[in-house]
Amino acid sequence: MMSKAPVTPPYFDETHEALRASVSRFVDQEIMPHIDDWEEQNTFPKEVYKKAGDAGFLGLGYPEEFGGTPGDQFHKLVFSEEIMKTTSGGLVASLGSLDIAIPPIAKWGSKALKEKVLPAVIAGDKIAALAITEPSGGSDVAGIKTRAEKVAVDGKEFYKVNGSKTFITSGMRADFYTVAVRTGGEGYGGISLLMIEKGTPGFTTGRNLKKMCWWASDTAELFFEDCLVPVENLIGAENTGFFAIMTNFQSERLMLTAMANATSQIALEECMNYVKEREAFGRPIGKYQVIKHKLVEMATKLEVSKTMMYNVAANMDAGIDQVKAVSMAKNFATDTSDFITYEAVQIFGGMGLMRESKVERLYRDNRILSIGGGTREIMNEIISKQLGL
Ligand SMILES: Cc1cc2nc3c(=O)[nH]c(=O)nc-3n(C[C@H](O)[C@H](O)[C@H](O)COP(=O)(O)OP(=O)(O)OC[C@H]3O[C@@H](n4cnc5c(N)ncnc54)[C@H](O)[C@@H]3O)c2cc1C
């Protein structure tokens, strides 16, 4: 029988492949020579934003008039898949914080707000962060406590903001923050989004939190004490913030799905090589059936997970509601990456716990993926509602 090429939906065309090659070069030249040092230093130089901006990577999917490069979900996925080859979730999350912070401004911000924030962030000159989570909780977005009260000062209108945020990615070094605040009554109907700039009196950053994962990223506490924010910084209409946050979560969840699948892919590839080299009892460990079957299960789960992700991305591009599907895809991808990174460390044995092996960092960095952007349990809550339960 003649062998035929496998049939795959035509998700990637020449524009995606050109982008893949360009991101891959960027990763090899600009990041790989330094990433291990940056991880140990718990940071990376700000110039990386500028270089990524100059290469056009930060503006993928944003309008050209603000310096962006229009594209579809698959351009974003290609960028995620390639940049994850740095094996630094921290660097990826930091470079990616703009993608959770600026979409509400691009969609609902005033013209002046768009002109102020989007070009500077897309160029890599400024950094943007999204601040929703509070010390009292992140899952219950409708319960946020940070208050923004309208006041007049010297004839000008401001929101006076009081409260605090925590676990904010890029929180230490961002310039622009998209902040969820309570402008109205209790519950989801009282929430708005405000753009708050670093340096606004009454706004301070606290600790750069030390963490298990994402060492190269900064994760901060933010404090607002009688912080006066111009009313022009309101993103969209007052008290419609909850809808904006939930809309924003859809693309964040797809990107976290992509990070989980890329984590699984790299861990699996590392194992495929290692089992051929590493010998025990006079044989390469890959010759043992128990190891082979582990690898088969890893590869099978990953294949299913990637298929789900691409399907969700294609439907998003077609404008079809993916609230249920993206929550399912995220949970499936993170279950898969939990399984694969655990087994990868197991297959590497002692070497799997050494910082010199890639699987050690993949294992640590993976742990956040079923918590950030909505936990596994919250995804299941969303899915159950969508199923009518
Ligand atoms: C490294 C890192 C980076 C982050 N970056 C950002 C950022 O940039 N911006 C931002 O706003 N936030 C950020 N977060 C916060 C993240 O989104 C939250 O940690 C997450 O949403 C969970 O909130 P929580 O930690 O307060 O947990 P909680 O909400 O306190 O939940 C605790 C546990 O209870 C479970 N639970 C809660 N409610 C239910 C329920 N109804 N049913 C069943 N189980 C439930 C949860 O699933 C979880 O297991 C980041 C977190 C980390 C660790």
Side-chain angles (χ1 to χ4, degrees):
M1 228 176 85
M2 267 203 358
S3 70
K4 290 184 180 167
V7 179
T8 49
Y11 294 136
F12 301 105
D13 63 21
E14 63 280 6
T15 66
H16 300 103
E17 294 313 331
L19 175 65
R20 194 181 287 286
S22 161
V23 184
S24 176
R25 261 195 316 277
F26 179 80
V27 165
D28 287 344
Q29 289 169 8
E30 303 293 345
I31 301 177
M32 291 319 270
H34 315 288
I35 193 61
D36 290 344
D37 291 338
W38 293 343
E39 278 279 322
E40 295 294 330
Q41 292 158 8
N42 286 200
T43 190
F44 63 92
K46 272 191 173 181
E47 294 83 74
V48 178
Y49 286 91
K50 185 70 194 144
K51 287 180 179 170
D54 287 346
F57 302 147
L58 302 184
L60 288 170
Y62 295 100
E64 269 168 309
E65 60 176 314
F66 301 114
T69 314
D72 57 24
Q73 294 293 347
F74 289 92
H75 291 100
K76 308 282 280 187
L77 286 181
V78 161
F79 178 68
S80 294
E81 288 176 348
E82 291 305 314
I83 199 81
M84 275 299 288
K85 291 187 181 160
T86 59
T87 65
S88 169
L91 179 123
V92 175
S94 301
L95 286 181
S97 67
L98 73 102
D99 269 332
I100 52 176
I102 66 171
I105 298 175
K107 283 197 189 91
W108 297 290
S110 66
K111 190 162 178 286
L113 213 50
K114 284 180 189 165
E115 282 169 354
K116 178 175 190 132
V117 175
L118 302 184
V121 172
I122 287 170
D125 292 325
K126 300 273 186 190
I127 297 172
L130 175 72
I132 296 174
T133 307
E134 302 188 343
S136 57
S139 298
D140 183 10
V141 175
I144 61 154
K145 295 183 166 61
T146 298
R147 278 225 147 264
E149 186 195 344
K150 250 187 193 158
V151 292
V153 179
D154 297 333
K156 264 198 81 182
E157 272 206 304
F158 292 89
Y159 284 105
K160 188 164 78 176
V161 182
N162 278 290
S164 61
K165 301 284 172 182
T166 194
F167 304 155
I168 306 307
T169 300
S170 300
M172 296 304 289
R173 58 182 185 178
D175 304 281
F176 301 123
Y177 297 76
T178 299
V179 184
V181 293
R182 183 165 301 285
T183 42
E186 293 301 298
Y188 69 88
I191 295 171
S192 300
L193 288 177
L194 278 184
M195 194 285 283
I196 306 184
E197 272 187 85
K198 168 81 67 48
T200 308
F203 169 27
T204 51
T205 52
R207 289 174 300 163
N208 185 357
L209 299 162
K210 291 199 167 184
K211 55 197 182 295
M212 173 206 282
C213 64
W214 289 3
W215 287 359
S217 74
D218 68 275
T219 306
E221 297 170 312
L222 314 179
F223 300 103
F224 303 98
E225 214 181 319
D226 292 340
C227 173
L228 293 180
V229 179
V231 286
E232 298 79 39
N233 286 20
L234 180 70
I235 302 167
E238 204 175 73
N239 297 329
T240 61
F242 189 79
F243 171 75
I245 293 166
M246 292 303 134
T247 306
N248 205 34
F249 268 141
Q250 304 312 306
S251 51
E252 178 177 5
R253 286 170 190 159
L254 182 63
M255 286 310 124
L256 288 163
T257 303
M259 285 180 84
N261 285 338
T263 298
S264 296
Q265 182 81 48
I266 301 161
L268 177 61
E269 284 166 11
E270 287 295 298
C271 288
M272 294 295 287
N273 292 328
Y274 192 71
V275 299
K276 291 181 191 123
E277 289 162 13
R278 181 71 177 174
E279 294 199 354
F281 300 94
R283 291 207 276 165
I285 58 171
K287 293 285 175 203
Y288 292 104
Q289 191 181 42
V290 76
I291 301 274
K292 277 193 229 177
H293 284 198
K294 271 185 209 248
L295 292 166
V296 167
E297 281 177 37
M298 290 155 86
T300 307
K301 287 187 200 313
L302 176 57
E303 200 65 37
V304 176
S305 188
K306 280 166 63 177
T307 304
M308 275 180 101
M309 171 177 74
Y310 292 146
N311 194 33
V312 169
N315 280 306
M316 276 186 179
D317 278 337
I320 300 165
D321 181 285
Q322 292 298 288
V323 170
K324 179 179 73 178
V326 78
S327 305
M328 287 177 167
K330 180 177 186 278
N331 274 358
F332 197 87
T334 58
D335 282 356
T336 300
S337 61
D338 286 353
F339 169 71
I340 291 184
T341 52
Y342 181 89
E343 290 297 0
V345 170
Q346 195 67 25
I347 287 172
F348 268 69
M351 185 49 81
L353 287 103
M354 297 299 126
R355 300 255 268 275
E356 65 196 82
S357 74
K358 281 187 183 175
V359 297
E360 183 268 344
R361 190 152 77 217
L362 291 170
Y363 178 82
R364 278 191 289 104
D365 279 358
N366 172 66
R367 195 62 192 83
I368 168 73
L369 300 177
S370 57
I371 294 174
T375 64
R376 191 179 193 291
E377 293 74 21
I378 294 301
M379 292 306 98
N380 279 344
E381 281 300 296
I382 293 169
I383 297 164
S384 40
K385 276 194 197 115
Q386 295 279 320
L387 290 173
L389 296 171

